[in-house]
């Protein structure tokens, strides 16, 4: 392996995993997009006998997350740094995580979802072990697989039924203990506050090398709630409990970021998970919130894929990109929460995401890692800090950046092309996304049933305003520089 | 209405806002007034302003400029496609994040407190778009919280250009209920309100909080935001 200018080893070829995951994303689109685009769904496999339930379900929700996770895994594979040891094995393990996540995405039977999740967890653990000596603490397998035990118990006692809409109308509601168990599993697996310790410690132990895979794993956790909504809603008490949990998690995560030492992935995972939890909680009463939660999860996956491996000058834009990608989702959830009279959740979403973005910025993180430097082994590279003397250009994956920018500046595409079919797929628990209307030239608005505008996000129009201001400022800046040079007079010889 | 017509209408409504009022020329005048009030006339000659412009973070400045020009200040024509309070607050927050490494930690927390103060009163309603249509107790507390946050931002001296434009934008958003008052009906009145607010906040930050650290106004902003939020929730 050839040393680079700054003394670290060049990254080994992780392109095998990246290409395999890209191929998986493309394959899903080729096979399933024609079905989903017609508003249909498909249960697989089609057994010859009527005694067996189908194991998999292809619909808007599963296709969206299947493609997003495969794409994110491809990007994460390219971001894995300093993986000089056992790179062939690491390629296989990165693919194992993807396979596990795809099982989760397309699961119709709860047992398939459970197995997929455990497979992804196994892949993550082994990957972290391969990445670095001591990169995975001894307790990590326990932490990764223990939440699954409660899920398995629920499945075995028959409390979790297949993730498919009931035939001929609304199904029965999820029982409150099951909803609470779902929330607990999500919180444990996403590693957010107050269960954020494992994510933070693992990231530190891996010296920042495993960040992309950890982020992908953490951001997949809230998908369990989306899957549950495919089958049935939760009742009013379930909505209240889940919203309260999401609000507490969101506030706790950002408060931790301000008051204590943490890593940016913990903050981001906590903020994204808290916001998504609020959105999914309100989904049975407000389809807008369901759409917002899905938007938040997708932007979270893309953000982590884009920035998890970036530690240099490019990290400057990590914070604004977090907020930019999250704004459409926050806007949808906030309006959904207001329509259900959950004002507190609506009010704290934007400030909390702003604080999370600030805490995810390079200056904030470097401050904390300076404090914790003594805890890291000597061989640890400075992976998350922004030192002027060590600036190397490691560009973030451009695909993720383009998708995040597109979702921020032209959210109409995301709403009409992605979020509407996804909400439609959650037919058992969420009604159709009727309130949002897209003005393709300016932005999105939410209308009440009697035609009154409730919310308006002119994202494309705002983008135009910023562009015009930017062009004007560019020329003004040049003019100012010229005027200053003229006043300074000729340079002394 | 076709998308092209919608885009065209938006652009036509945007241009005077962006380059005349409340953005552009009016923004420049307000910015100079703010910088003079915060750091004195001597340090704010036009060369200093030009120098600041050459050093400015253009993306942060442009985002703040766009947010200011979209504010529903008196004397502006309504936009064909309105922007709700959350969108504008998010735009100003984004401008702060674009300032990146030059942003102090205290300023980040003050900006978050101001954002919370701006959003808090709307938690009492049922729509993002109708927030601030009438003046309630929560609006008054929110305005005080915004003022405290703005004072925190200038406690340690004059802001940068992008920080200054953002400051003006936050003031405009925080004072949204005032703009609905029948007396304040044109740009002149809005300018007077801005001049008074700039003078008052400059005086408070230079006289009252001169010897304290910015933590006190930040704490005041956070506390008042929380009270405003609570008041809005209880009043629904």
């Amino acid at each position: 392996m050839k040393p680079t200018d700054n003394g670290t080893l060049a990254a080994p070829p992780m392109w095998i995993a990246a290409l395999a995951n890209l191929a998986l994303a493309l394959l899903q689109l080729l096979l399933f997009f024609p079905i989903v685009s017609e508003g249909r769904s498909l249960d697989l496999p089609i057994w010859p006998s009527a005694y067996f339930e189908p194991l998999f379900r292809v619909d808007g929700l599963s296709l969206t997350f299947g493609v997003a996770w495969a794409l994110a895994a491809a990007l994460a594979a390219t971001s894995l740094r300093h993986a000089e040891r056992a790179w062939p094995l690491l390629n296989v393990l990165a693919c194992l995580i993807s396979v596990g996540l795809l099982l989760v995405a397309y699961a119709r039977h709860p047992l398939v979802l459970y197995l997929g999740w455990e497979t992804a967890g196994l892949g993550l653990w082994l990957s972290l072990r391969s990445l670095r000596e001591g990169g995975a603490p001894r307790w990590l397998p326990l932490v990764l697989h223990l939440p699954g035990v409660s899920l398995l118990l629920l499945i075995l006692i028959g409390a979790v039924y297949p993730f498919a809409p009931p035939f001929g109308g609304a199904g029965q509601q999820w029982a409150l203990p099951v909803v609470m168990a779902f929330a607990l599993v999500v919180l444990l697996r996403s590693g957010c506050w107050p269960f954020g310790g494992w994510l933070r410690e693992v990231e530190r132990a891996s010296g920042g090398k495993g960040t992309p895979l950890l982020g992908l794993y953490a951001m997949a956790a809230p998908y369990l709630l989306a899957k549950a909504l495919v089958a049935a809603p939760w009742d009013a008490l379930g909505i209240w409990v889940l919203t309260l949990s999401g609000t507490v998690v969101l506030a706790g995560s950002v408060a931790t970021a301000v008051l204590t030492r943490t890593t940016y992935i913990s903050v981001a995972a906590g903020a994204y998970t808290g916001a998504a939890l609020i959105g999914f909680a309100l989904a049975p009463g407000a389809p807008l919130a369901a759409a917002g939660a899905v938007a938040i999860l997708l932007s979270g996956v893309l953000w982590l894929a884009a920035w998890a491996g970036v530690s240099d000058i490019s990290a400057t834009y990590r914070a604004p990109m977090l907020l930019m990608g999250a704004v459409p989702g926050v806007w949808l959830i906030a309006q959904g929460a207001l329509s259900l009279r959950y004002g507190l959740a609506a009010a704290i979403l934007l400030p909390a995401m702003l604080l999370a973005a600030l805490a995810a910025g390079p200056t904030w993180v470097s401050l904390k890692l300076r404090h914790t430097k003594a805890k890291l082994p000597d061989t640890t590279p400075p992976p998350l800090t922004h030192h002027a003397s060590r600036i190397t250009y490691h560009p973030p994956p451009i695909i993720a950046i383009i998708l995040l920018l597109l979702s921020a500046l032209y959210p109409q595409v995301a709403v009409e092309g992605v979020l509407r079919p996804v909400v439609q797929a959650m037919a058992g628990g969420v009604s159709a996304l009727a309130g949002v209307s897209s003005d393709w030239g300016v932005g999105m608005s939410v209308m009440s049933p009697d035609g009154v505008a409730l919310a308006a996000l002119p994202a494309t129009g705002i983008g135009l305003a910023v562009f015009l201001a930017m062009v004007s400022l560019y020329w003004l800046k040049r003019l100012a520089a010229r005027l200053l040079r003229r006043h300074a007079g000729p340079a002394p010889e | 209405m076709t998308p092209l017509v919608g885009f065209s209408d938006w652009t036509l409504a945007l241009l005077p806002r962006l380059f005349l009022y409340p953005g552009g020329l009016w923004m420049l005048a307000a910015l100079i007034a703010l910088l003079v009030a915060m750091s004195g006339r001597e340090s704010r000659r036009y060369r200093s302003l030009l120098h600041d412009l050459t050093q400015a973070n253009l993306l942060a400045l442009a985002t703040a400029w766009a947010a200011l020009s979209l504010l529903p200040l008196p004397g502006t024509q309504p936009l064909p496609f309105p922007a709700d309070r959350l969108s504008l607050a998010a735009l100003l927050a984004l401008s702060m994040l674009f300032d990146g490494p030059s942003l102090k930690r205290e300023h980040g927390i003050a900006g978050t407190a101001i954002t919370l103060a701006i959003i808090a009163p709307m938690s009492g309603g049922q729509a993002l778009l109708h927030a601030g249509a009438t003046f309630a107790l929560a609006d008054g507390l929110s305005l005080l919280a915004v003022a405290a946050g703005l004072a925190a931002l200038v406690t340690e001296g004059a802001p940068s250009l992008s920080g200054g434009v953002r400051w003006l934008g936050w003031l405009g958003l925080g004072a949204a209920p005032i703009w609905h008052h029948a007396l304040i009906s044109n740009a002149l009145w809005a300018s007077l309100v801005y001049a008074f607010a700039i003078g008052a906040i400059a005086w408070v930050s230079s006289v009252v909080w001169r010897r304290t650290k910015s933590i006190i106004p930040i704490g005041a902003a956070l506390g008042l935001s929380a009270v405003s939020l609570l008041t809005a929730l209880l009043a629904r």
Side-chain angles (χ1 to χ4, degrees):
Chain A
M1 207 105 12
K2 202 169 73 172
T4 57
D5 294 343
N6 59 0
T8 57
L9 293 176
M14 285 301 292
W15 53 265
I16 300 171
L19 283 180
N21 278 297
L22 272 180
L24 273 176
L26 279 174
L27 191 68
Q28 291 174 73
L29 283 173
L30 283 174
L31 288 177
F32 302 138
F33 183 73
I35 299 166
V36 172
S37 64
E38 291 173 5
R40 293 190 292 128
S41 59
L42 181 67
D43 286 340
L44 292 170
I46 305 164
W47 301 103
S49 166
Y51 292 107
F52 298 102
E53 285 242 0
L55 297 176
F56 301 99
R57 180 179 171 82
V58 178
D59 55 19
L61 178 72
S62 52
L63 178 64
T64 300
F65 278 90
V67 171
W69 286 341
L71 194 60
L75 298 174
T78 60
S79 306
L80 284 177
R81 292 167 301 135
H82 307 284
E84 60 273 15
R85 297 179 61 230
W87 64 264
L89 178 64
L90 201 61
N91 273 294
V92 175
L93 292 173
C95 291
L96 184 68
I97 296 175
S98 309
V99 170
L101 289 179
L102 287 185
L103 286 175
V104 172
Y106 288 97
R108 185 184 187 279
H109 197 287
L111 214 49
V112 176
L113 184 135
Y114 166 77
L115 287 174
W117 223 339
E118 299 310 315
T119 309
L122 183 70
L124 177 68
W125 172 51
L126 295 175
S127 302
L128 290 171
R129 274 175 55 122
S130 311
L131 269 169
R132 183 167 181 249
E133 190 88 35
R138 284 182 187 171
W139 43 261
L140 185 60
L142 190 70
V143 169
L144 289 177
H145 296 294
L146 199 60
V149 175
S150 60
L151 193 60
L152 182 63
L153 282 175
L154 287 174
I155 295 167
L156 291 179
I157 62 171
V160 183
Y161 30 89
F163 303 121
F167 287 109
Q172 60 184 53
Q173 292 173 334
W174 291 104
L176 185 62
V178 178
V179 173
M180 289 171 72
F182 282 167
L184 189 65
V185 171
V186 167
L187 296 184
L188 284 166
R189 292 221 141 133
S190 60
C192 58
W193 189 89
F195 307 107
W198 76 266
L199 195 60
R200 189 174 60 241
E201 291 308 315
V202 171
E203 191 192 359
R204 281 181 184 158
S206 74
K209 292 175 183 174
T211 307
L213 296 178
L214 274 170
L216 183 59
Y217 182 81
M219 289 314 302
Y223 182 72
L224 175 64
L225 297 175
K227 267 301 200 196
L229 284 167
V230 173
W234 19 88
D235 59 5
L237 189 58
I239 291 179
W240 185 81
V241 168
L242 279 181
T243 309
L244 183 66
S245 311
T247 307
V248 169
V249 164
L250 190 57
S253 298
V254 294
T256 310
V258 175
L259 300 173
T260 62
R261 301 163 189 169
T262 188
T263 53
Y264 74 86
I265 187 165
S266 301
V267 185
Y272 279 123
T273 305
L277 204 57
I278 293 172
F280 286 131
L282 299 166
L288 280 176
V294 172
I296 286 275
L297 275 190
L298 291 175
S299 75
V301 166
L302 284 172
W303 183 84
L304 282 163
W307 301 102
V310 177
S311 60
D312 49 34
I313 191 76
S314 315
T316 310
Y317 290 101
R318 195 162 61 202
M321 288 306 289
L322 190 156
L323 192 67
M324 269 181 97
V327 162
V330 164
W331 179 77
L332 286 165
I333 297 174
Q335 181 52 48
L338 285 182
S339 65
L340 287 183
R341 304 183 76 83
Y342 277 87
L344 178 63
I348 69 159
L349 272 170
L350 181 65
M353 291 307 287
L354 170 59
L355 210 49
L358 281 165
T363 46
W364 201 298
V365 168
S366 64
L367 185 75
K368 282 166 193 146
L369 283 194
R370 265 201 296 279
H371 287 308
T372 56
K373 205 172 178 180
K375 287 185 177 178
L376 299 174
D378 290 342
T379 50
T380 304
L384 304 171
T385 51
H386 174 63
H387 296 291
S389 59
R390 277 184 155 269
I391 288 178
T392 53
Y393 190 66
H394 176 85
I398 198 77
I399 300 171
I401 302 298
I402 289 172
L403 288 174
L404 278 172
L405 279 174
L406 187 69
S407 72
L409 295 174
Y410 212 59
Q412 300 94 308
V413 174
V415 167
E416 301 302 332
V418 179
L419 300 182
R420 214 177 275 282
V422 167
V423 174
Q424 191 187 344
M426 293 189 256
V430 188
S431 50
L433 189 60
V436 186
S437 60
S438 296
D439 182 324
W440 291 99
V442 187
M444 297 186 300
S445 59
V446 178
M447 312 294 279
S448 69
D450 47 355
V452 178
L454 298 176
L457 176 66
T460 314
I462 288 174
L464 173 74
V466 173
F467 173 75
L468 290 176
M470 188 82 188
V471 171
S472 309
L473 283 172
Y474 171 76
W475 288 109
L476 283 172
K477 187 175 182 175
R478 291 194 65 169
L479 187 65
R482 195 165 182 167
L483 284 172
L484 279 176
R485 274 202 302 273
R486 183 176 292 178
H487 280 290
E493 292 181 10
Chain B
M1 190 167 68
T2 63
L4 197 60
V5 172
F7 184 77
S8 168
D9 285 352
W10 170 270
T11 310
L12 288 174
L14 177 70
L15 290 175
R17 280 171 166 266
L18 198 60
F19 294 111
L20 295 175
Y21 171 75
L25 293 177
W26 188 87
M27 178 186 81
L28 184 63
L31 186 63
I32 290 171
L34 173 70
L35 296 175
V36 168
M38 298 305 167
S39 61
R41 195 177 298 165
E42 284 304 309
S43 61
R44 285 294 152 188
R45 291 177 182 166
Y46 84 102
R47 280 190 66 178
S48 168
L49 203 63
L50 291 180
H51 181 263
D52 284 355
L53 181 58
T54 58
Q55 301 297 315
N57 181 332
L58 291 193
L59 199 50
L61 184 52
T63 313
W65 179 358
L68 182 64
S69 53
L70 294 175
L71 288 183
L73 294 189
T76 53
Q77 291 295 317
L79 286 164
F81 192 102
D84 59 40
R85 192 187 278 207
L86 191 133
S87 315
L88 296 174
L91 197 57
L92 288 168
L94 202 55
S95 160
M96 185 170 74
L97 292 175
F98 277 130
D99 261 336
S102 65
L103 186 74
K104 288 182 185 171
R105 195 181 171 98
E106 292 78 15
H107 287 186
I109 296 173
T112 309
I114 294 171
T115 306
L116 177 62
I118 288 167
I119 302 288
M122 97 194 170
S123 61
Q126 282 194 296
L128 294 172
L129 206 51
H130 301 158
T134 54
F135 197 89
L137 179 61
D139 292 306
L141 290 167
S142 160
L143 183 52
L144 284 177
V146 170
L150 293 177
L153 290 175
V154 293
T155 303
E156 292 165 25
S160 63
L161 285 189
S162 55
V165 176
R166 206 158 48 234
W167 197 98
L168 296 171
W170 272 325
L171 179 59
L173 259 184
I178 293 179
W179 309 136
H180 293 284
H181 197 280
L183 185 67
I184 302 168
S185 56
N186 54 35
L188 185 63
W189 276 106
S191 307
L192 285 174
V193 170
Y194 258 90
F196 173 76
I198 288 170
I201 294 172
W203 180 78
V204 167
S205 58
S206 64
V207 176
V208 181
W209 279 327
R210 188 178 51 184
R211 291 177 188 280
T212 66
K213 289 184 177 178
S214 57
I215 190 76
I216 291 175
I218 290 174
L222 279 170
L224 285 165
S225 306
V227 176
S228 167
L229 179 60
L230 196 64
T231 312
L233 288 171
L234 291 175
R236 56 188 311 168

